[in-house]
Amino acid sequence: MDQKNVWIGTNWKMNKGPAEAIAAARALATFRPPEGIRCFLTPPATSLRDVCSVLEGSPMMVGAQNMFWEDSGAWTGEISGPMVVECGASTVLLGHSERRQHFGETDWTVNLKVHAALRHGLRPLICIGDTLDEFEAGVSQETLARQTKIALHGVSPEDLERVVVIYEPVWAIGSAGRPAEAPFVSGIHTELRSVVREIAGESGVRIPLLYGGSVSQANICDYVVLPDVDGVLAGRGGWDPADFMKLVACVSELVSAKVDA
Ligand code: PGA
């Protein structure tokens, strides 16, 4: 970890309808993360507008979990960038492995969505990840490089400054997953850093690279101290507002030590 911001987010997935989401957002509304920590959460689409209203003016960034690349039209069941913006969100998660696995997202549809998000002023939080088969075959780096290069294909140098890339091994996500070991994540992120530098040139050093997959209070610091890890995305570990604030507390000491240094 260096003096860059540390990002800590939680993806609520298909949890918390409006009533529960409003209650959770209220619990976070007065929370002020320490300097150097940037927090975000992604509620389900049906709770997005309420959560954005409750958290208006708070440092907590709110994002959608997905969006379509067209702005409007005959796309039953989809939500568009302008709709996400109108709800008050500033960011959007794209290419989460659950969407790739269960809803047919491909590297190229993720790329279309990245462009659409940027066009509407949303910050894309781009998820990439290797499956267990790819991990066991030793091709994680190749998979991640391909996913990253395609997701960012055609993105202008100025827009590259607004993207965040999140490495989430598919085998590490959810209650059946096991958290990736920090030395492995370190190697992956070093390589990812060279991939984004290849794409973005020197400004690639400023693209935040996050880790996600069974992040908890017990392991968050192991990841955040790694040189090319700029933060984490938690699922279960951050759903409860009290737990989310504890995740932030776990790293705040590390961050303040760095800021004071
Ligand atoms: P998990 O989910 O922390 O519950 O493993 C992470 C994610 O899918 O973003």
Side-chain angles (χ1 to χ4, degrees), residues 11 13 96 98 168 172-175 212-215 233-237 239:
N11 170 19
K13 309 193 181 187
H96 190 281
E98 287 154 12
E168 295 204 298
I173 291 176
S175 48
S214 296
V215 170
L233 173 60
R236 292 155 297 144
W239 289 344

